[in-house]
Amino acid sequence: MKRDKKEGKLLTNRWLFVLYIGFFAGFIWGAIKIVEYYLKFTKITIGFLVEPFFKHDFLHTWQGTLIGWGFFTVFSIIAAFIYMVSMWKLQGPWWGLGYGALWWAAIYLLIGPLSGMTYWIYNLDLDTVLSDFCLFLLWGMFIGYSISIEYTDVRTRRPIHKT
């Protein structure tokens, strides 16, 4: 962290912070995706992002689960960087929710079915669609709200001076 010489505030390194937020978004929400799959709320494994590169049966093993979790974490880091570059000044949780919904729509309605990562939405059951949609909403809100709070709220606070 750097200190602003004018006002004495601590400044956060934005790129390191985004890496941190993206990592924990992938780690936490990836773990919830794994639980969601094992509790049969969804039929799509955590390894759906690497589905075109690995055999489907492999992704159901514990090694496939770990690889999928790792790729979901890398995907989350990339998504956090994209949010930081494009939307970091937007305030409130709604932008993050919209960001998660946008990623869900891109993956589940277009990129996923075209690349073989997911089935077309009309071939998925309602539990899978709703569970994964809600997961992406919360994932997006985690990324968006964490970044916006850091760079819109903290910058306006005055440092506390003890006398």
Side-chain angles (χ1 to χ4, degrees), residues 2 13 17 27 29 43 52 64 66 77 89-90 123 127 136 138 143 156 159:
K2 295 179 183 177
N13 179 335
F17 180 74
F27 187 77
W29 298 104
K43 293 182 180 175
L66 289 179
I77 291 169
K89 288 186 179 182
L90 301 175
N123 291 332
D127 290 341
F136 269 84
L138 294 172
I143 290 173
T156 61

Side-chain angles (χ1 to χ4, degrees), residues 82-157:
I82 292 170
Y83 191 93
M84 171 59 86
V85 169
S86 61
M87 301 170 66
W88 68 279
K89 288 186 179 182
L90 301 175
Q91 296 181 9
W94 298 108
W95 296 104
L97 285 170
Y99 191 66
L102 182 71
W103 274 109
W104 177 87
I107 291 172
Y108 284 78
L109 300 177
L110 185 65
I111 298 168
L114 291 175
S115 67
M117 287 191 285
T118 63
Y119 298 111
W120 289 99
I121 197 156
Y122 54 81
N123 291 332
L124 296 173
D125 62 346
L126 188 60
D127 290 341
T128 296
V129 172
L130 290 177
S131 296
D132 287 350
F133 181 70
C134 290
L135 181 97
F136 269 84
L137 284 179
L138 294 172
W139 169 85
M141 188 171 66
F142 180 87
I143 290 173
Y145 202 52
S146 298
I147 291 171
S148 71
I149 285 296
E150 181 67 21
Y151 292 104
T152 58
D153 247 12
V154 173
R155 292 186 312 139
T156 61
R157 288 189 214 141

Side-chain angles (χ1 to χ4, degrees), residues 40-91:
K40 307 228 184 286
F41 289 126
T42 184
K43 293 182 180 175
I44 298 175
T45 67
I46 185 70
F48 71 97
L49 292 171
V50 293
E51 183 82 31
F53 309 108
F54 291 93
K55 291 184 178 184
H56 185 72
D57 292 337
F58 173 73
L59 295 176
H60 292 287
T61 65
W62 68 269
Q63 296 97 335
T65 299
L66 289 179
I67 288 172
W69 197 3
F71 271 83
F72 188 78
T73 302
V74 170
F75 163 70
S76 298
I77 291 169
I78 293 167
F81 274 107
I82 292 170
Y83 191 93
M84 171 59 86
V85 169
S86 61
M87 301 170 66
W88 68 279
K89 288 186 179 182
L90 301 175
Q91 296 181 9

